[in-house]
Amino acid sequence: MQIRLTAPPHLRHKTILPASKSISNRALIIHALAGGKDLPENVSDCDDTFVMVRALTQTDDPINIMAAGTAMRFLSAYWSVNEGTHTLTGTARMKQRPIGILVNALRTLGAQIEYVETEGYPPLRISGGLHEGGRLSLPGDVSSQYISALLMIGPVLRKGLELELTGQVISRPYIDLTLKLMKDFGAQAEWTDEQHIKVEPQPYRPTPYYIENDWSAASYWYEIMALTPDKDAEIILTGLFADSAQGDSAVHGLFEPIGVHTEFFCDDDGMPFVKLTKHPIATERLEYDFVNQPDLAQTFVVTCAMLGIPFRFTGLQSLKIKETDRISALIRELEKLGYPLHEACGSELFWDGQRTEVRPHPAIDTYEDHRMAMAFAPCCFAVPEIYINHPQVVSKSYPHYWDHLKEAGFEITAL
Ligand SMILES: O=C(O)C1=C[C@@H](OP(=O)(O)O)[C@@H](O)[C@H](O)C1
Ligand SMILES: C=C(OP(=O)(O)O)C(=O)O
C-alpha cells in the first residue's frame, strides 16, 4: 500500500497522543511479577504492547512478539524466572536483532535458554531456572533493553542483583525509567555509581498505575509545527507530563532553537497537556549527541533537512540494530528528496546544506520502521506531494497517526 500526503494550509489542532509503549511494557511486566490484579491504566493500544499483553495472558507457544524489541528482551528475562518452557519468536527483522548479551547474562545467572535457529539471535527457547541472582558484568553499549530486562527481575531473585555495566552506557534514560517504575511498585533499586546498579531482593508490591502519553510520538507533532508555514499555528497534545521520566521528553527543549515553543498546562481534571506554537529559529546549525534519545534521531534529521539547517548528529550507533538500519534508511530516503547526508564512524550523520535534484513523485520506503513513516510524513510541507510506502507500519507505536493527521487537516489518499 502507498499513500499520498498533502499538507493543510492552516493548523489549529488538539490531539490525544498514544500512551508510552516503553512505560506500558515495563508496567505490564512488573505488574505480572507483582502478582497484581488491576491492570495498569491507559495501557498503549500499539502493536508492541498488544504482543506483550498477549504473551502474558495467553498460553500459545511459540509466542510471537512480532517486531517489539522491548517485548523480546523483557519477556526473555521474565520467562527465565517463571516455570515452564516458552519459545519467543518474532519477525524476520527481529531474528536479526542481537540478543546474545542478554542470553549470556541470564545463563550466567542460571537460566536455561537455547537458540532455536541462529546463535546470538531470536527465536529463543527458555526453560526457566533462574532464582538466585547475584553479581553480573555486561556491556552497556549495545542496548539498554538488556539491562532493563535484567533489572526488572532483580527484586524476585533470592540475592537480588548487582550489575556492572562495561563501556559507554547508551540510552541511559531508559534504564532510569525502568528504575523509576520498579520503585513505583515498591522495589529498591539504585545506581551506586555511573557503571553499577544494585537491586535489593525485595518483592514488588501490587500498585495502581497510570501510564503517561508518549513523548516520542509527540516529536512528530513538534516536527509538524516546525515545518508548517502557518505562523499562527497551534497544536495541543494531551497527557504529556513536564517532569516525565521518559528520556524523549527532552524533545521540547531541543525544538526551542529550531522554531517550536512549548507551554505546559493542566486541565480542570488535573490532566497535563502542552501547547505548541511557532517562534523564530535561533540557530544556523544543529549539533547534538542522541545517545540518550536514539528514537528522536529520525525526527531531527528530517526536520533539520527540511528547514535547511545543516547538522551533525552523533551517538547514533544503536540505530543500526533497530527496526531497520536507520542510518542507511535515512541516507537513502533523504537522497530522494535532494538532501545528500553523510555517515561517519557508524555512529554519526551529518548534512552540510548541499542540495541535489529532487526525484519526481518521491515515494518514501519505510523498511518496516514506524519512525521512518512518521518522521517523513511532515515533509509534505516542504515537498508539495509526498508518497509513503507501507504506511501501516505506524501501528508499532502510534496506530492512529494517520487518523490524527487527517483530523488536523492533512489530505491522505490511499493509492
Ligand atoms: O527500553 C525501552 O523502552 C527502549 C529503549 C531504546 O532501545 P535501546 O536501549 O536498544 O537503544 C529505544 O530505542 C526503544 O524504542 C525503547
Ligand atoms: C527501537 C524501537 O523499538 P524496539 O527496540 O523496542 O523494537 C523504537 O520504537 O523506535
Side-chain angles (χ1 to χ4, degrees):
M1 185 181 168
Q2 187 186 58
I3 52 171
R4 183 179 60 220
L5 279 140
T6 317
H10 303 289
L11 204 59
R12 191 162 266 271
H13 181 62
K14 175 178 176 178
T15 205
I16 300 172
L17 290 172
S20 159
K21 74 172 167 83
S22 288
I23 300 184
S24 297
N25 285 9
R26 284 166 171 75
L28 288 165
I29 286 279
I30 296 175
H31 166 80
L33 289 167
K37 268 207 316 248
D38 300 327
L39 273 178
E41 258 184 89
N42 196 36
V43 169
S44 173
D45 60 354
C46 72
D47 290 355
D48 280 16
T49 298
F50 167 78
V51 296
M52 180 66 103
V53 172
R54 189 173 62 181
L56 291 169
T57 51
Q58 293 182 4
T59 49
D60 304 359
D61 202 77
I63 301 159
N64 188 346
I65 52 72
M66 304 201 304
T70 48
M72 184 72 214
R73 281 76 179 256
F74 298 174
L75 286 166
S76 298
Y78 176 79
W79 291 126
S80 295
V81 295
N82 276 279
E83 297 303 315
T85 297
H86 300 90
T87 308
L88 277 174
T89 189
T91 58
R93 175 61 181 170
M94 184 52 65
K95 294 180 183 181
Q96 296 169 346
R97 296 182 71 182
I99 196 157
I101 290 173
L102 177 59
V103 170
N104 288 346
L106 292 167
R107 280 176 172 171
T108 306
L109 291 170
Q112 290 168 41
I113 306 180
E114 282 166 53
Y115 292 110
V116 176
E117 291 175 15
T118 312
E119 193 76 9
Y121 297 86
L124 301 179
R125 187 172 300 114
I126 303 163
S127 312
L130 202 174
H131 307 292
E132 279 299 297
R135 283 188 187 188
L136 190 73
S137 179
L138 76 157
D141 56 0
V142 179
S143 170
S144 69
Q145 294 181 13
Y146 308 147
I147 298 152
S148 290
L150 291 163
L151 289 173
M152 282 190 279
I153 57 167
V156 303
L157 301 176
R158 273 199 278 276
K159 294 185 187 153
L161 205 56
E162 281 181 60
L163 298 185
E164 178 194 42
L165 309 179
T166 59
Q168 183 192 16
V169 179
I170 65 161
S171 296
R172 196 182 278 265
Y174 288 101
I175 302 176
D176 293 336
L177 182 67
T178 306
L179 294 173
K180 177 176 184 306
L181 265 96
M182 290 170 63
K183 284 191 251 182
D184 290 344
F185 281 82
Q188 273 190 54
E190 308 277 1
W191 290 96
T192 51
D193 65 34
E194 286 286 289
Q195 306 288 130
H196 294 85
I197 308 174
K198 188 166 184 193
V199 184
E200 299 295 338
Q202 174 179 310
Y204 289 115
R205 197 180 46 227
T207 305
Y209 208 79
Y210 183 83
I211 294 163
E212 301 170 16
N213 287 351
D214 189 16
W215 271 104
S216 319
S219 79
Y220 309 107
W221 291 96
Y222 276 83
E223 180 179 351
I224 286 167
M225 182 53 93
L227 299 184
T228 176
D230 177 5
K231 295 212 168 8
D232 300 319
E234 188 182 291
I235 292 175
I236 289 179
L237 304 173
T238 61
L240 295 176
F241 290 73
D243 60 351
S244 173
Q246 295 176 57
D248 285 1
S249 62
V251 70
H252 66 83
L254 291 170
F255 262 95
E256 281 290 332
I258 57 169
V260 183
H261 180 58
T262 309
E263 289 169 87
F264 289 89
F265 298 95
C266 255
D267 68 16
D268 296 342
D269 300 325
M271 185 52 76
F273 65 93
V274 300
K275 182 164 103 179
L276 313 186
T277 46
K278 276 182 99 67
H279 74 173
I281 293 180
T283 187
E284 286 178 357
R285 187 184 159 76
L286 199 66
E287 304 220 343
Y288 190 69
D289 182 343
F290 279 99
V291 75
N292 286 330
Q293 293 89 16
D295 294 355
L296 294 182
Q298 286 147 300
T299 309
F300 280 88
V301 166
V302 180
T303 306
C304 287
M306 295 301 120
L307 290 174
I309 299 174
F311 59 82
R312 182 173 206 103
F313 295 148
T314 54
L316 307 179
Q317 55 273 33
S318 71
L319 267 60
K320 288 194 174 283
I321 57 163
K322 299 212 184 279
E323 283 79 338
T324 183
D325 173 347
R326 289 179 171 168
I327 294 187
S328 308
L330 283 165
I331 294 174
R332 242 178 276 140
E333 299 314 305
L334 273 171
E335 203 265 323
K336 292 180 182 169
L337 302 181
Y339 298 87
L341 306 188
H342 302 284
E343 174 184 356
C345 320
S347 62
E348 296 183 12
L349 259 183
F350 59 96
W351 179 59
D352 56 14
Q354 195 198 345
R355 291 302 313 272
T356 52
E357 218 172 295
V358 184
R359 295 230 195 124
H361 298 289
I364 302 302
D365 286 318
T366 47
Y367 309 86
E368 294 180 35
D369 184 357
H370 53 145
R371 302 201 190 282
M372 286 302 286
M374 294 191 285
F376 275 83
C379 292
C380 59
F381 285 110
V383 183
E385 262 184 7
I386 186 141
Y387 300 80
I388 306 272
N389 292 330
H390 305 294
Q392 66 278 9
V393 291
V394 299
S395 61
K396 186 171 193 286
S397 67
Y398 192 165
H400 306 296
Y401 184 62
W402 304 119
D403 297 334
H404 289 177
L405 290 196
K406 276 190 201 158
E407 285 162 20
F410 288 76
E411 246 177 65
I412 302 181
T413 315
L415 300 170

